[in-house]
């Protein structure tokens, strides 16, 4: 047994040796920074900063305050703080909206007696992760329909128990609903904050300051998606007052978010990743991804029944190779194709649409390592050709 244990041997330690030792088969991640498929590859700068940060001890409040200031500076915002993923940021947002800087309220949550605890959300902004908003004891007041909602409906829902208005920016949300600037104007007229979930809206890097400029008081971003910081990190940016409320409601302080602590190493890793992220030439990066995706499209474009094209828009944060299955497609649907990719050798994870009755899937180049785009193109081509002929 003992001779199989290689996790402590620096001579032979590699990612492959770790998964071999554990009996886990790795995969090629061609589906983007999905948490269930292990997120994104942390930048080298982040890994190095984490290791270096392990050498020192600090007062965590001081570190979090200083790191927040640095993130504000890097991202062009007034204030910022660090969270345990964008999901952790949603919990902190809701806690901040209810308890603000009141120490008794902060420790009382998730019991919300005596404080406004309702979060108004447009039905078209409901999302698989939005339950995190409810974790500190808050509840939703839903307005509008899945396909639309109006500013009047939101205004009518505001009452003495309202703590905040929620706004989502995410690919495939069902409706754009009320534009953020109008929502923010309404919220501020009632002395309420707008809490925005913009977790995956990077790149483009300009979004780092876009939603705060449009009036959101707290915006939650992932640090473990395309920023490529530690997978468990996120950050909140916004108005100094609300960012301070968020920090006071966040770990390491005792309270409902105590289970969401972020280590000093992860904090340093996120800072290093963000600095690197903002200094990348986005045009060159985009061209690189586009070239990779064109390579894949060239391999599959002739296959009958599908269209293969690059999409780079609100729904696709970097250029993706999107495969759409047409009415004349004779093979199995997207879920079977992606399952076959994942069952293959090597295993490949590809992304697909969350909306009902999806008819497409795509390749996301964010996590492709050297040499992998060729493998993905070949496997995808093979599986699609087999499937197209009824295989
Ligand atoms: C990814 C995502 C989250 C979760 O972010 P984590 O950093 O993984 O916690 C929350 N909301 C939306 C809209 C997302 O896309």
């Amino acid at each position: 047994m003992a001779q199989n244990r290689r996790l402590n041997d620096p001579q032979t330690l590699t990612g492959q040796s770790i998964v071999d030792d554990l009996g886990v088969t790795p995969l090629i991640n061609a589906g983007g920074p999905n948490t269930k498929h292990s997120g994104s590859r942390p930048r080298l700068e982040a890994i190095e900063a984490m290791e270096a940060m392990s050498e020192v001890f600090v007062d965590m409040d001081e570190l979090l305050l200083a790191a927040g200031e640095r993130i504000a500076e890097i991202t062009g915002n007034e204030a910022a703080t660090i969270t345990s993923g964008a999901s952790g940021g949603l919990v902190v947002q809701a806690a901040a909206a209810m308890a603000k800087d009141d120490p008794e309220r902060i420790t009382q949550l998730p019991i919300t007696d005596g404080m406004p605890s309702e979060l108004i959300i447009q039905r078209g902004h409901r999302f698989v992760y939005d339950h995190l908003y409810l974790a500190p004891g808050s509840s939703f007041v839903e307005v509008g329909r899945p396909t639309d909602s109006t500013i009047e409906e939101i205004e009518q829902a505001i009452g003495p128990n309202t703590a905040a208005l929620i706004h989502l920016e995410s690919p495939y949300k069902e409706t754009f609903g009320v534009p953020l600037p109008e929502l923010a104007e309404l919220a501020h007229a009632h002395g309420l904050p707008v809490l925005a979930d913009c977790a995956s809206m990077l790149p483009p890097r300009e979004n780092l300051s876009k939603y705060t400029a449009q009036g959101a008081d707290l915006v939650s971003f992932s640090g473990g998606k395309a920023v490529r910081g530690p997978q468990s990190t996120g950050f909140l940016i916004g108005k100094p007052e609300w960012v301070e409320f968020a920090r006071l409601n966040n770990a390491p302080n005792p309270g409902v978010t105590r289970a969401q602590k972020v280590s000093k190493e992860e904090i340093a890793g996120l800072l290093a990743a963000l600095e690197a992220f903002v200094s990348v030439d986005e045009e060159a990066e985009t061209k690189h991804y586009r070239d990779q995706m064109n390579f894949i499209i060239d391999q599959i474009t002739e296959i009958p029944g599908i269209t293969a094209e690059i999409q780079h828009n609100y729904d696709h944060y970097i250029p993706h190779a999107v495969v759409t299955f047409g009415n004349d497609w004779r093979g199995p649907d997207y879920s079977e194709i992606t399952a076959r990719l994942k069952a293959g050798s090597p295993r490949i994870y590809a992304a697909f649409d969350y909306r009902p009755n999806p008819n497409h899937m795509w390749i996301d180049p964010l996590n492709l390592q050297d040499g992998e785009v060729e493998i993905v193109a070949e496997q995808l081509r093979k599986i699609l050709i087999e499937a197209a002929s009824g295989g």
Side-chain angles (χ1 to χ4, degrees), residues 35 84-88 90 127 129 168-170 197 199-200 222-223 225 233:
T35 300
S84 58
S87 309
L90 307 188
F127 188 70
Y129 299 147
L168 171 72
E169 290 290 341
S170 172
D197 177 1
S200 65
S222 287
K225 292 184 179 172
T233 58

Side-chain angles (χ1 to χ4, degrees), residues 8 13 32-33 54 93-94 102 108 154 181 201 211 213 218 223 269 272 291 314 325 350 363 369 380:
N8 282 325
L13 188 64
S54 72
Q93 283 181 339
D102 182 328
Q108 179 189 318
I154 296 172
M201 301 304 287
Y211 308 115
L218 282 173
D291 290 347
Y314 183 87
F325 301 95
I363 301 299
Q369 308 299 306
L380 182 62

Side-chain angles (χ1 to χ4, degrees), residues 314-375:
Y314 183 87
D315 286 346
H316 298 277
Y317 68 109
I318 55 177
H320 289 158
V322 179
V323 180
T324 304
F325 301 95
N327 291 333
D328 52 343
W329 170 249
R330 294 285 159 257
D333 72 359
Y334 75 96
S335 65
E336 175 62 20
I337 301 295
T338 50
R340 286 181 191 181
L341 279 165
K342 199 166 163 185
S345 182
R347 308 173 75 190
I348 296 171
Y349 159 59
F352 49 84
D353 202 333
Y354 299 106
R355 284 180 293 204
N357 311 313
N359 64 350
H360 55 272
M361 53 174 283
W362 63 88
I363 301 299
D364 178 328
L366 183 77
N367 288 324
L368 293 180
Q369 308 299 306
D370 285 349
E372 290 182 345
V373 71
E374 292 81 3
I375 300 172

Side-chain angles (χ1 to χ4, degrees), residues 171-194:
Y172 304 104
K173 71 174 167 176
E174 288 195 66
T175 176
F176 284 87
V178 174
L180 177 55
E182 284 174 42
L183 188 78
E185 202 177 313
L186 176 68
H188 299 154
H190 290 266
L192 296 168
V194 171

Side-chain angles (χ1 to χ4, degrees), residues 268-288:
L270 175 62
L271 284 182
L274 259 175
E275 277 184 7
F277 175 71
V278 297
S279 65
V280 169
D281 176 349
E282 193 164 299
E283 216 173 295
E285 177 189 72
T286 302
K287 182 179 181 307
H288 172 68

